[in-house]
Amino acid sequence: MDEKIPKIPSREITEPEAYLNRRTFMRAGILAASVAATGGAYRAFFSPKRRPVTAAKGASTLPTSRGAFPPVGPSSIADMHAISEPQTSLGDITHYNNFYEFSTDKAEVADEAAAFITRPWTISVGGLCSKPTTFDLDDVLQLAPLEQRVYRMRCVEAWSMVIPWDGYSLSKLLERVQPLSSAKYVAFTTLLDPTRMPNQGRRVLDWPYVEGLRMDEAMHPLTMLACGLYGQPMPPQDGAPLRLVVPWKYGFKGIKSIVKIELVSEQPPTTWNLAGPNEYGFYANVNPAVDHPRWSQASERRIGGGQRKTLMFNGYADQVGRLYAGMDLTANY
Ligand SMILES: Nc1nc2c(c(=O)[nH]1)N[C@H]1C(S)=C(S)[C@@H](COP(=O)(O)O)O[C@H]1N2
Ligand SMILES: [Mo]
């Protein structure tokens, strides 16, 4: 640990909670009005009934599975993401989570999501393409060999992990639908179902969670459609059954529990940009030289081990830097 790197006082790393609490507070009036109008549904969403905590720490199963989780092989692009840093433990990866559909408390997400049923599951891929297709989860799992790729994961809140994801390049899925040349961006949408994602009954964010990438970012081989980690199906709290992983961008770009992917011509709206446009941009490339308005991004707290300097593009600059040649990275944060 480099002693010259100042410790970030934990009170500065309150985002997004502090921001959201403010908004939630302001919206309390709206909610109070809606509870009168929609009483039953509102109470159902807010019922304090706890979900059974069935999953063992870090464990994950495929409920009512008709297909098995395919074997996971080595990365086909290992040279693009070689890493010597130790992997974060499965316990930390599955018990320190941002997944606001279940809880805004990182330590609570695992319990709140434990009973999340992710089969059957479909993902529709459409928009500007020749072959729009709705894929069943089992088709997605079989579409290309699953690879394990160990990537750094850097949250905008200045903490990080090293995670062995299982999946394949998102380009493999996108190629199946034959994108048209008019497709310039890719828009992603999380499941919207407050009966299964209880915190969607609270307006902490505008649901469903949405994200987006430029087409060249989406087609970059490092960009991953992940269906598991540590050789197991994706734990619910990490975005089961399918989530995006873009290792050179802040973690919030890695949208979880995806049900829809659309090829579009214009830059799509993204949830955190809508929530705080001055603080969260569309690009969200990890950049130690561009601070968050309320804290430094120069260093990060590695979960399970020390403070370290944040790397340009999270250490993937050689692989992705050319995508941003000529762009003003301060304006396009
Ligand atoms: N649908 C959805 N996706 C999401 C989030 C979320 O709240 N909802 N949180 C994001 C944030 S801020 C981060 S840092 C990562 C966290 O992923 P992890 O819990 O698997 O580490 O998921 C991202 N994807
Ligand atoms: Mo994050």
Side-chain angles (χ1 to χ4, degrees):
M1 182 171 157
D2 188 340
E3 295 300 329
K4 287 182 301 247
I5 300 173
K7 261 219 155 73
I8 299 170
S10 63
R11 68 175 180 280
E12 289 180 23
I13 314 298
T14 52
E15 184 66 13
E17 282 85 345
Y19 180 85
L20 287 171
N21 288 341
R22 225 159 50 231
R23 276 173 100 233
T24 307
F25 183 74
M26 290 186 303
R27 285 176 166 187
I30 301 166
L31 288 172
S34 74
V35 73
T38 62
Y42 177 90
R43 270 193 295 279
F45 293 164
F46 281 75
S47 100
K49 165 180 78 88
R50 300 277 303 182
R51 293 189 144 49
V53 181
T54 46
K57 196 172 163 82
S60 173
T61 54
L62 284 174
T64 63
S65 163
R66 76 168 165 86
F69 190 69
V72 180
S75 174
S76 61
I77 54 162
D79 53 315
M80 296 187 83
H81 59 88
I83 192 170
S84 54
E85 298 153 36
Q87 295 176 20
T88 304
S89 72
L90 181 60
D92 281 342
I93 294 171
T94 55
H95 291 84
Y96 190 85
N97 299 103
N98 277 333
F99 201 169
Y100 280 23
E101 285 85 341
F102 291 100
S103 175
T104 52
D105 180 338
K106 291 175 179 51
E108 288 286 320
V109 173
D111 281 359
E112 294 297 332
F116 183 45
I117 304 291
T118 56
R119 290 200 176 219
W121 190 276
T122 58
I123 180 167
S124 71
V125 189
L128 300 171
C129 61
S130 305
K131 295 214 155 98
T133 309
T134 296
F135 296 90
D136 185 78
L137 175 58
D138 288 301
D139 301 333
V140 177
L141 295 179
Q142 301 292 339
L143 189 135
L146 300 188
E147 306 178 11
Q148 184 154 93
R149 301 187 188 167
V150 183
Y151 288 167
R152 290 181 204 88
M153 209 278 272
R154 169 59 156 88
C155 175
V156 74
E157 298 166 314
W159 53 266
S160 64
M161 298 190 186
V162 173
I163 303 180
W165 300 107
D166 306 319
Y168 47 75
S169 295
L170 176 68
S171 62
K172 302 262 192 235
L173 178 69
L174 296 180
E175 280 160 4
R176 289 295 170 112
V177 302
Q178 299 179 7
L180 303 176
S181 58
S182 52
K184 304 295 184 205
Y185 294 87
V186 186
F188 303 84
T189 307
T190 292
L191 175 71
L192 177 64
D193 185 349
T195 67
R196 292 157 71 193
M197 296 181 141
N199 225 26
Q200 286 181 336
R202 293 176 55 221
R203 297 181 60 188
V204 289
L205 289 170
D206 290 321
W207 312 116
Y209 195 102
V210 290
E211 257 304 336
L213 294 172
R214 223 169 54 191
M215 192 68 187
D216 57 348
E217 298 176 323
M219 296 301 286
H220 192 283
L222 279 174
T223 300
M224 214 177 162
L225 183 67
C227 56
L229 55 84
Y230 269 115
Q232 308 176 21
M234 191 67 74
Q237 59 267 43
D238 291 286
L242 295 169
R243 56 104 40 100
L244 184 68
V245 177
V246 194
W248 70 94
K249 292 179 179 284
Y250 290 119
F252 68 83
K253 298 295 288 183
I255 182 173
K256 296 176 168 181
S257 305
I258 300 169
V259 293
K260 187 165 76 172
I261 299 179
E262 273 183 297
L263 298 153
V264 295
S265 59
E266 306 289 333
Q267 183 177 302
T270 58
T271 289
W272 277 104
N273 181 247
L274 292 171
N278 301 325
E279 306 198 346
Y280 309 102
F282 175 80
Y283 282 92
N285 291 316
V286 175
N287 188 339
V290 177
D291 287 337
H292 186 279
R294 291 182 285 117
W295 60 82
S296 167
Q297 293 292 29
S299 73
E300 64 201 51
R301 179 170 56 95
R302 178 61 52 85
I303 302 301
Q307 195 76 8
R308 47 175 72 226
K309 285 183 175 165
T310 290
L311 304 172
M312 187 63 194
F313 295 114
N314 208 22
Y316 305 97
D318 288 348
Q319 288 74 33
V320 302
R322 64 179 170 78
L323 299 180
Y324 310 102
M327 271 178 63
D328 178 350
L329 297 179
T330 304
N332 295 286
Y333 53 86

